[in-house]
Structure formats: C-alpha cells, structure tokens
Amino acid sequence: MERIEQLKQVLSNRCPDLDLRANEPMSRYTSFRVGGPAALMALPKTIQEAAAAVETAAELGIEPFFMGNGSNLLVADEGVDRFLIRSTPGLCGCQAKGTTLLADSGISLARLAMTARDLGLTGLEFAHGIPGSLGGAVTMNAGAYGGEMAQVVREVTCLTKSGQVERVEEFDFGYRHSAFSDGSRMILGARLELEKGETESISARMAELAQQRQSKQPLEYPSAGSMFKRPAGHFAGALIQECGLKGFTVGGAQVSEKHAGFVINRGGATCGDILALVEQVKERVFAHTGVMLEMEVKVLR
Ligand SMILES: Cc1cc2nc3c(=O)[nH]c(=O)nc-3n(C[C@H](O)[C@H](O)[C@H](O)COP(=O)(O)OP(=O)(O)OC[C@H]3O[C@@H](n4cnc5c(N)ncnc54)[C@H](O)[C@@H]3O)c2cc1C
C-alpha cells in the first residue's frame, strides 16, 4: 500500500492532469457489478499520460493491471492492492482512411462497429453486441457469430513494461487468446482492415445479431458473458444444462435459466458467490461428462 501511495504522489506531480482515483469500488467498473476497491486507478486521456503511468509504475517496481470496460473481469470482494490503468473512456479516438480504421484502445466495440457501418465498411458486424473495448477485445481475441478480432486486426500499438511505444504485427491470436494475454503490455490502439460493403446490409446484419443476443442471452442481468471457454468438441452451456444446473444458485450468483453458459448476478452477488458457483459447476460437469471446464472470465485478486 505504501508503494502505491508513493506512486500516486510521484504520478500526480509528474502528470497533474492525469485522472487518478484511490480506493475505487470495482463494482462500478465491471459488468458483473462485483468487486471491492482497487488501491489506485489511472484513467489516461492521452498516450503521454498512459506512458507516464506505465513508466512511473515500472520505476517503482509496481506491475500495473490494464483494463478496458471490465466486461470480462471479476474482482475480489476484499479489493485489490493493485495499480489499474483503464483505457476506457479516455482513449477513445477513431480515424478512417479508405478501408482502414485507426482506433484507440478505449473505444467501445459498439461505437467502432457503428463507425464502420456509417462508412459503409463491413467486417465488424459481429463485434457490435460485445460490450468491451477495443483493447480488451484484442487481448481476448473476442469473437461471435463466426467473426473474431483476428480477422480484422493488422497492427497494434502498445506500451512495453517500461513505457516505450511499440508497434506489433504478430499477435499469436488463438481462441480467446493473443500475444497480449500475459498482461505485460498496454494496448494503446490498433489498425483494423475492413472491406467495402453496403451500409444497409451491414445494418441489417447488426440488427439480426442483436435480435439473436436478445432472445438467447440474459442481458437483463449483470454478467461477464460466457463464463467458460468452449471446450473442444462441446459447448459449455449445453454441458451445464445436461447436468441439470440451469438456475443453480450460490448466494446472489446463478447459472442463467435463459443460457446456461452465463453466470448472472441476480442481485447482491459477491465474487465469492460467483467463484464458489463456478467451482461447483466445474466439479459436477466433470463428474457427469468427463469434461473439465475452464473459465474465460479473468479474475483479479
Ligand atoms: C453480456 C455480455 C456478452 C458478451 N459477449 C461476448 C461475445 O460474444 N464474445 C466475446 O468474445 N466476449 C463476449 N463478452 C466478454 C467481453 O465483452 C469481451 O471479452 C471483451 O472483449 C472484453 O473487453 P473489455 O474492454 O471489457 O476488457 P476487460 O474486461 O476490461 O479486460 C479483459 C482482458 O483484457 C485485458 N485488457 C483490457 N484492456 C487492455 C489494454 N488496453 N491493454 C492490455 N490489456 C487489456 C485485461 O487485462 C483482461 O485480461 C461478453 C460480455 C458480456 C457482459
């Protein structure tokens, strides 16, 4: 805690305009609406502010945690003695040139997809309903309905551990994985290559996918989307349903009745409730089907 306090003082001297927040409840910043306070959070509005935050943390031997919209994140109830750098909503620019979009990491996927649609560019329709930021989506190689970030990302600009700007063209994209998954570099932005399309058909596809989400997913409750990765040859939700676990509840956490792949916060859920539920689901699914589920959602503790 003392080192974080020192970081706060050094950073606020070096970067007086940087938005620094101490002891922020993470339930405000995660789509699960769960989590205790983070010791310190920086919300940079420029690359310079982000670089100063990363560089100063490195000088003091503090490893930052980078986050976007918190839609794939679960934070411990007792809070975390960590320094968080959040790219949303400060880093949110987007420029277009022909079929190329150059966007900052904090821009929401919804806004990015709508920008592409308005420019008559196709390739981001799948991303419209994913409630994350570009940085989180690149890290996770987010995907849906046959699309994934790997199809459109051509270059990523990031900060190294010491705060140097680096351009990356090799991403090691896999299923919900990328070269950024180890958390050592902060994504600042990305160059996306799209294709020319018709605004009308892009809109229609986006509306069709939104309708599918609305009818199949429990969007009326806080969650982090699919709780588990898709096991090879199976669907997590189908396995969970097969084990009779739809509606299974621990405290305020519940396996959604609408979509068994989602764990929802029915109201007042703690991180402890959610993790206890996850463990029991994993045990029962393994005992019944022999498949070991793996969490997709990241846990910060
Ligand atoms: C209702 C709902 C539906 C969803 N549907 C889908 C879906 O269809 N497909 C899908 O793939 N996901 C889905 N998700 C999960 C989530 O939206 C995605 O994983 C999204 O890409 C996470 O982005 P984020 O900005 O919220 O990242 P966060 O949750 O903030 O972080 C996720 C990971 O990315 C890292 N990260 C974030 N920003 C940066 C950065 N700037 N630099 C370096 N690392 C960073 C974090 O350290 C963490 O490891 C859904 C979630 C919800 C709540």
Side-chain angles (χ1 to χ4, degrees):
M1 198 62 166
E2 275 168 24
R3 278 191 320 153
I4 299 256
E5 188 51 42
Q6 191 187 357
L7 171 65
K8 186 177 162 217
Q9 282 171 14
V10 177
L11 249 184
S12 43
N13 283 336
R14 278 189 191 172
C15 244
D17 292 335
L18 174 62
D19 186 354
L20 277 176
R21 303 181 189 182
N23 298 315
E24 282 284 277
M26 291 305 293
S27 49
R28 283 192 202 152
Y29 297 91
T30 56
S31 58
F32 247 133
R33 300 282 167 248
V34 158
L40 188 64
M41 181 188 283
L43 294 106
K45 290 175 291 300
T46 61
I47 289 178
Q48 291 73 16
E49 286 186 347
V54 171
E55 198 181 328
T56 310
E59 282 169 21
L60 295 175
I62 293 169
E63 192 187 331
F65 180 84
F66 307 117
M67 69 174 288
N69 212 28
S71 65
N72 202 49
L73 199 59
L74 192 51
V75 181
D77 299 313
E78 59 276 21
V80 283
D81 190 16
R82 295 287 302 264
F83 175 46
L84 273 51
I85 306 182
R86 189 171 190 261
S87 50
T88 308
L91 302 173
C92 61
C94 181
Q95 288 172 10
K97 201 175 170 198
T99 53
T100 303
L101 287 185
L102 281 172
D104 294 341
S105 58
I107 193 170
S108 72
L109 290 182
R111 216 185 112 202
L112 201 57
M114 289 188 291
T115 303
R117 174 200 63 195
D118 295 346
L119 292 164
L121 297 176
T122 179
L124 274 175
E125 294 87 330
F126 77 91
H128 181 242
I130 302 177
S133 66
L134 175 61
V138 170
T139 304
M140 297 299 300
N141 185 21
Y145 305 110
E148 59 177 8
M149 295 309 291
Q151 296 163 357
V152 292
V153 175
R154 293 292 174 271
E155 186 180 76
V156 171
T157 309
C158 61
L159 288 170
T160 63
K161 273 183 184 175
S162 57
Q164 304 301 307
V165 176
E166 186 184 43
R167 285 183 201 289
V168 179
E169 288 184 0
E170 283 183 17
F171 314 112
D172 192 23
F173 280 130
Y175 175 64
R176 302 295 171 264
H177 171 90
S178 75
F180 305 96
S181 297
D182 68 1
S184 64
R185 292 176 287 183
M186 177 177 180
I187 297 174
L188 293 171
R191 174 163 63 83
L192 311 180
E193 253 343 299
L194 304 173
E195 282 174 26
K196 281 198 177 130
E198 296 294 330
T199 296
E200 221 166 86
S201 56
I202 296 167
S203 284
R205 176 72 177 147
M206 276 162 52
E208 180 195 334
L209 297 183
Q211 173 55 38
Q212 286 194 39
R213 275 187 193 270
Q214 198 66 44
S215 66
K216 298 211 169 94
Q217 299 182 358
L219 302 181
E220 59 280 25
Y221 288 104
S223 78
S226 298
M227 198 68 201
F228 301 99
K229 290 186 179 175
R230 198 173 53 232
H234 300 275
F235 289 102
L239 294 176
I240 295 167
Q241 186 171 344
E242 196 184 309
C243 296
L245 288 167
K246 260 190 173 180
F248 176 61
T249 302
V250 175
Q254 186 178 61
V255 173
S256 164
E257 306 258 12
K258 196 168 177 185
H259 186 319
F262 277 55
V263 172
I264 56 170
N265 180 353
R266 291 273 314 191
T270 62
C271 180
D273 292 341
I274 294 166
L275 291 178
L277 179 138
V278 162
E279 278 317 305
Q280 293 196 45
V281 167
K282 281 169 75 172
E283 268 173 37
R284 295 210 207 170
V285 168
F286 185 66
H288 188 79
T289 68
V291 177
M292 182 52 83
L293 294 177
E294 196 190 326
M295 254 174 83
E296 177 176 321
V297 175
K298 306 284 178 193
V299 184
L300 185 60
R301 53 185 144 196

